[in-house]
Every structure is written in structure tokens, then in C-alpha cells.
Amino acid sequence: MDGSTSIELKQAAHVVQRDVSIAIAGSGGSGVMTAGTWLLDAAARAGLYGLMVRTSGPQIRGGEAAALLRLSGAQVESLDDAFDVLVALDWQNVHRFADEIPLRATSVLVCDADAGEVPAVFLASGARVVALPLKKMAKAAGSWINMLALGISGALAGVPQAQLEEAVRSGWKRDGDGLAANLRALNEGCLAVAHLAGSPLTGSAGPRRWLLSGNEAAGYGALRGGVRFVAAYPITPATEMLEWMAPALARTGGCLLQAEDELASINMIIGASFGGVPSLTATAGPGLSLMTEGIGLAVAAEVPIVVVDVMRGGPSTGIPAKSEQSDLSFAVAGLHGDAPRLVVSPTSISDCAATTHWAVQLAEALQCPALVLSDQFLGQSQAIVRAPELPEGAPQRLVAPAHAPGYKRYANTENGVSPMAIPGTPGVTYTADGLEHTEGAIPSSQAADHRKQLDKRLRKLTGHDYGSRWADCEGDAPLAVITFGSATGPVREAARRAAAQGVEVRVIALRLLMPLQAAALDRALAGVERVIVVEQNHGAQLLHYLRGAYDLPGQPASFHHPGPLPLRPAEICNALVAWAREEETLA
């Protein structure tokens, strides 16, 4: 190792005492995700908070991959602007991550001395390169190179070795000899950079914490919300939600069925819910496209279902393993006919549990489809978070009793919700399909019936009291940022940084996107002079949706860009400061 690197590495370690970002990159099969997952586990065991984002090439499996982590003494919801440590197991196609792994001049880049030259794109950052014989060291320990990477990255990040070893013992499910070899490699990695590492990160006991992904959180929220049947077709990046739910459903008496495609999935959950069982499917953009006719059927027949859309780069198959918020327009406007439905979006990984739980409650209470807009960043990232706080209460579907006199399935009630008869209930049979109908469920093409049912289906959604959960509102400044979904984390951090520069902004993170809560927005925007909308897509979809449904104050501005690059706090902060000071200059 180059002895002259000590000073720079110590400086880097000093910088990252409270907040450190680490990237572990390598080719398929090198185990970078395992190393990242165990590093995050070790951080949790040390009383830290953290976030790990998964990124891979277009092959999804088998190609290059990188685990992107940020560890801290406080809860984090966003990646930082750059990485303090990059451990590159090889350079095979790693240039594809060059934009996703920006380094600082103070960063440390650890690589295999026998893997060839360091790509110029990483050298251009000015980061100090530390070349070690990684493969040879791993072979000597009888283990794999990713265990060395775990030791190196853990030591440089300041995670105690004892917790790293605990994570390996917990995660290793095979023979004892293999475990011993892994621990030897881990120790070799720690020793290789021991003289370069700074003080350990400071953890704390604090409140109860969970280590979970957004997909797992959404599955947990769905189960706690009462979902007992899931039909779905695997698709990146939603598959992990289904993998988590399959055994969990079985333990609760429910079941998950892998359907032959998305068309079957949506129709199966409509059928199950029609039979009285709260039901859900999970998919991504291409699957959502195929499900739209079925969702329209659920609107017309007033069958409660939940569809979780884990958004990815589009259109078509697009960029399957990268995040983007580009299904919003489709979710709020993608059905034929006037088809009112609910569209909600979690504002963090932890909130995936609460929002999906809420979606089940709303769908059941209002007898309509509820779309949950998650995305790849939320769904596949893992985080150490405080225990999710779920909405109170259980789903309540208004069910018709047996032999209800004069029963009309689609009775034009004051709040638009009419009792739903469960098949087999005597004396309240009816036919449900996609045809327009009378209050008694008889197919009808009469104008009066059509108008009455359109009004009813809309009224039950627009007249419902959604309480305070419709959005997260923070601050009271005259400048406001409106955002949603995974953009919320970097926006919150950007707002804090902007405040440190003298620019105060109010943050409104929308959770209920449809129906848009105009009266609640009025209250949240009281005193606001100007608004900027922040989102991750190419077409500024949220801005256009809001402008089409609501009169935003002033001349609304927009900050947006598409995936696959994540939104970074610094770029949003710079945009907020420039936007705020532009008005000051004009004044």
C-alpha cells in the first residue's frame, strides 16, 4: 500500500465521523449485495441508522452490481451527494455506475491491484487510490473477495468489527468451516485498513428499530391491513414484495398465487375480493399497463382491490432495475371512461407499511381500487428505521345482511357507498360485471342510470374524510416545495441545507394523490407566495397534474429529471436557493 495515503485517509475518516457513504461494486456473482446487506446489518447492531440502495446493470441478474450505503447516527432517507469510500472488487463494466457513484477529492478508492488500471472517470475525482491484492488475500483466507470488502468498508466507515462479525454469523447459513474462513477474510480486510480508519461511528440504543426494504414494508402493511389473498406475476422491482408475502400470508391463513400473467392477476384478485377477501397484487409499469382494463372493471363493479405499482424507468420494459416516478400520469389518468379511484404514494421506506395499510382500509371502506405508487428506490432499498406506525382501525367493508328487504347493490346512497352482498348470502343475490347498471345491478344504457352511477362512484371518493394523512406538511415559510414518493427524502434534506443558507421553504409531501385534496391544499398553502414542484421524471408529471386540478399560487416552478440517477440533496438545495434568490433579485 502507498504509505503516503495515510494522511488523506485519516482526513476522509474524520469527515465521515457522523455520516459516511460507501459504495461496494463488482461483477455479477462477486457478492457485493451480500457484503452491503451484512454491513447494513452490522450498523444496525451497532445502534446506527442507515440506508442501502441496490443498483445493477440491464441484465438485472448476473451483470455488474453495486451496493450504495449511507450510515449515520440519525435516520436517513436519501443518498448523499457523493461517496466517501468506494470498494471496487473488479472493473468489469463498472463504468456503467460512474454517474451513480460520484466521489469527492477526499474519498478513498480501494481496488484489487491485479484488476487493471483504475478507470479515468474515478481518477478524475481526485480520490486517493489504495490498491490491495484482494483476490490473493481472499484466497489465502479460504474465503471470498466480498468478505474482504466487508471488512475494508466496515473499518473505513467506523463500524465496530464485533458487530461485523455478528452480522456474518447471523447471515451465514452453511458449514462452520466456511464461517471460519469468512471471519478470517473479514479480519484481514479490517487489518488492511486499520491504520487508516478514524473513530467509530456513534450509535445509540434509542427507540426500537427495524431493518427492512420498502417492498417488505409494503407487504407487512398489507397483511396488517387485512389482505389475505395475493395473485401476481413476478416483475422487477416488485418481486421481493411477493417473495416476502408468500410465507407470511400462509402463516395468517391467506395465500399467494403466482398467476400466468398480469391479466390473470388482476382478475383473480377482483374475484377474490368479490367473494369477500381483501386482495392485492403488486407489479411494475408494464404490468400496470396490462391491468388497466381489470382496474376499470373493479371501478364499475365497485370491488375493493389494492394494486402496488413499484415504478421503474420506462416506457415499455425501459430500465427495469432503476428508479423513476414516471407512472404518475398513467395512474391518475390511464383508465378509459370516467373511472374514479384512489392513488396514494408512500413518502419513505418506513411509510410503505403505513401507506399500503391505509390503502387497504380505504379500498375496503370505499369499495374501489386503490393504487399504491412506490418505486424501485423505495421498494428495493433497505433501511434501518424506527418501527413503522400504522393507521389505527381495521378495514371496514359495508356488507349487506341476509334477506335485506329491497336490497339494491348499487343504491344511490348519500355518501355513495352501498352495502356489498357477499356471494352465497341468501336473499341478496345480484350480478356484477363491467356494464353500466341500475341501482339494482340490472345492465342499463339509460342516460339517467349512467349519470346516477357516475355521480355515485365519484361522490364516495370526493366526499370521504381522509384526515391528516393526505400529506406530510413541514414548515410555514412563504416558499413551498410540493413533492411525492421517494423524492421526499432528498427534498427534506435539501430544505434543511437551504435553511442553513438562509432560505426557508415549506415542504408538502403528498401521500393522497387522487382524489386531490383541494381544501386541504388550500390550508397547507395558506400564506405561500410561490411553489416549486420536485419529482423524478422527464415530463414534470406532478406539476402538470396539479396545474390541471388546482390553482397553485404564483408562477409554479419545476425541478425534475428522469431516472436512473437518483435525486441528490445538493442539486435540489442549489435549485431552491437559486429559485428563492431569483425572486429577490427581480424585486
Side-chain angles (χ1 to χ4, degrees):
M1 180 185 300
D2 182 359
S4 65
T5 63
S6 299
I7 295 176
E8 287 82 359
L9 284 170
K10 288 177 180 177
Q11 289 172 340
H14 175 73
V15 169
V16 300
Q17 289 301 304
R18 296 181 180 177
D19 192 328
V20 57
S21 292
I22 311 109
I24 308 173
S27 55
S30 60
V32 296
M33 293 305 174
T34 298
T37 300
W38 289 359
L39 178 56
L40 192 66
D41 183 14
R45 294 170 185 273
L48 297 166
Y49 289 95
L51 171 71
M52 183 185 117
V53 177
R54 304 162 63 98
T55 184
S56 58
Q59 305 91 339
I60 303 178
R61 293 183 184 275
E64 63 280 2
L68 311 178
L69 294 100
R70 187 180 186 186
L71 307 180
S72 175
Q75 189 162 299
V76 292
E77 297 179 343
S78 167
L79 290 174
D80 203 351
D81 306 313
F83 289 85
D84 304 291
V85 176
L86 167 59
V87 180
L89 305 190
D90 57 61
W91 296 120
Q92 183 178 347
N93 293 323
V94 76
H95 63 278
R96 292 178 177 172
F97 298 132
D99 290 340
E100 296 182 68
I101 309 178
L103 300 177
R104 300 183 173 96
T106 55
S107 301
V108 180
L109 192 166
V110 182
C111 60
D112 192 328
D114 299 323
E117 295 185 0
V118 178
V121 66
F122 293 111
L123 292 176
S125 66
R128 175 63 68 178
V129 175
V130 180
L132 297 170
L134 298 178
K135 287 186 179 178
K136 293 177 181 174
M137 293 169 66
K139 185 176 181 180
S143 181
W144 289 273
I145 194 171
N146 65 331
M147 290 298 98
L148 275 172
L150 176 61
I152 291 169
S153 57
L156 289 176
V159 178
Q161 185 171 340
Q163 277 71 52
L164 292 170
E165 292 176 351
E166 287 179 14
V168 173
R169 290 191 179 93
S170 175
W172 182 255
K173 304 300 181 187
R174 287 185 269 175
D175 61 283
D177 291 343
L179 174 61
N182 287 342
L183 293 175
R184 282 196 300 272
L186 170 72
N187 184 59
E188 289 298 316
C190 293
L191 289 175
V193 296
H195 63 296
L196 307 172
S199 301
L201 282 168
T202 303
S204 62
R208 185 185 179 194
R209 297 166 196 175
W210 292 18
L211 174 56
L212 78 175
S213 71
N215 279 336
E216 293 169 343
Y220 170 75
L223 284 180
R224 290 291 301 272
V227 166
R228 291 298 179 268
F229 178 72
V230 173
Y233 186 73
I235 185 171
T236 301
T239 302
E240 290 91 342
M241 180 178 174
L242 309 173
E243 292 173 341
W244 187 89
M245 293 194 77
L249 271 167
R251 289 193 293 271
T252 61
C255 71
L256 182 146
L257 190 153
Q258 179 175 325
E260 62 267 38
D261 57 29
E262 287 84 355
L263 298 174
S265 302
I266 191 72
N267 287 306
M268 285 179 179
I269 68 167
I270 292 171
S273 181
F274 179 67
V277 180
S279 302
L280 173 148
T281 188
T283 188
L288 182 65
S289 300
L290 294 171
M291 291 179 181
T292 51
E293 185 177 1
I295 297 172
L297 168 60
V299 171
E302 301 195 44
V303 178
I305 57 169
V306 176
V307 179
V308 178
D309 175 26
V310 188
M311 295 183 286
R312 65 190 207 183
S316 190
T317 45
I319 312 178
K322 307 288 187 181
S323 199
E324 199 169 67
Q325 295 180 301
S326 52
D327 293 348
L328 172 61
S329 293
F330 192 81
V332 299
L335 302 185
H336 65 272
D338 292 301
R341 68 276 194 187
L342 298 160
V343 181
V344 299
S345 184
T347 58
S348 68
I349 289 174
S350 177
D351 192 49
C352 286
T355 295
T356 308
H357 185 287
W358 193 42
V360 179
Q361 285 186 326
L362 292 175
E364 291 291 315
L366 300 175
Q367 299 178 18
C368 68
L371 277 61
V372 180
L373 285 185
S374 179
D375 60 36
Q376 186 272 340
F377 181 93
L378 293 175
Q380 292 195 311
S381 297
Q382 291 178 290
I384 306 165
V385 298
R386 301 183 188 95
E389 296 181 4
L390 301 180
E392 295 181 355
Q396 297 290 332
R397 186 186 302 191
L398 184 60
V399 176
H403 303 294
Y407 176 68
K408 293 181 178 179
R409 166 64 183 104
Y410 302 111
N412 192 28
T413 61
E414 183 176 357
N415 66 1
V417 179
S418 48
M420 183 176 179
I422 303 302
T425 306
V428 288
T429 57
Y430 73 102
T431 300
D433 59 25
L435 289 172
E436 191 55 282
H437 41 252
T438 66
E439 293 185 63
I442 304 300
S444 171
S445 59
Q446 298 298 306
D449 291 326
H450 184 45
R451 180 62 177 265
K452 187 180 295 183
Q453 294 300 319
L454 287 171
D455 290 344
K456 171 190 185 306
R457 294 192 287 261
L458 178 63
R459 184 169 67 250
K460 66 180 181 180
L461 269 63
T462 57
H464 185 75
D465 181 4
Y466 296 94
S468 61
R469 192 170 287 276
W470 70 279
D472 291 340
C473 302
E474 303 163 13
D476 57 2
L479 303 177
V481 185
I482 299 179
T483 189
F484 81 108
S486 64
T488 304
V491 164
R492 284 174 171 151
E493 184 163 337
R496 291 193 292 271
R497 295 188 190 184
Q501 299 181 44
V503 174
E504 298 281 350
V505 295
R506 187 181 310 192
V507 175
I508 301 172
L510 299 173
R511 184 174 290 105
L512 179 59
L513 295 163
M514 188 175 191
L516 193 65
Q517 299 299 286
L521 257 178
D522 284 343
R523 294 189 292 273
L525 291 171
V528 167
E529 299 167 358
R530 289 189 297 147
V531 166
I532 186 170
V533 178
V534 178
E535 56 192 309
Q536 189 191 24
N537 56 62
H538 189 256
Q541 296 182 15
L542 179 60
L543 173 67
H544 293 305
Y545 171 58
L546 291 173
R547 294 185 70 173
Y550 185 82
D551 290 329
L552 293 167
Q555 292 294 320
S558 176
F559 179 86
H560 63 278
H561 69 64
L565 294 181
L567 292 169
R568 303 280 189 185
E571 61 177 348
I572 300 173
C573 175
N574 292 338
L576 294 180
V577 172
W579 171 63
R581 292 180 175 163
E582 176 186 359
E583 186 70 11
E584 292 175 1
T585 302
L586 293 175

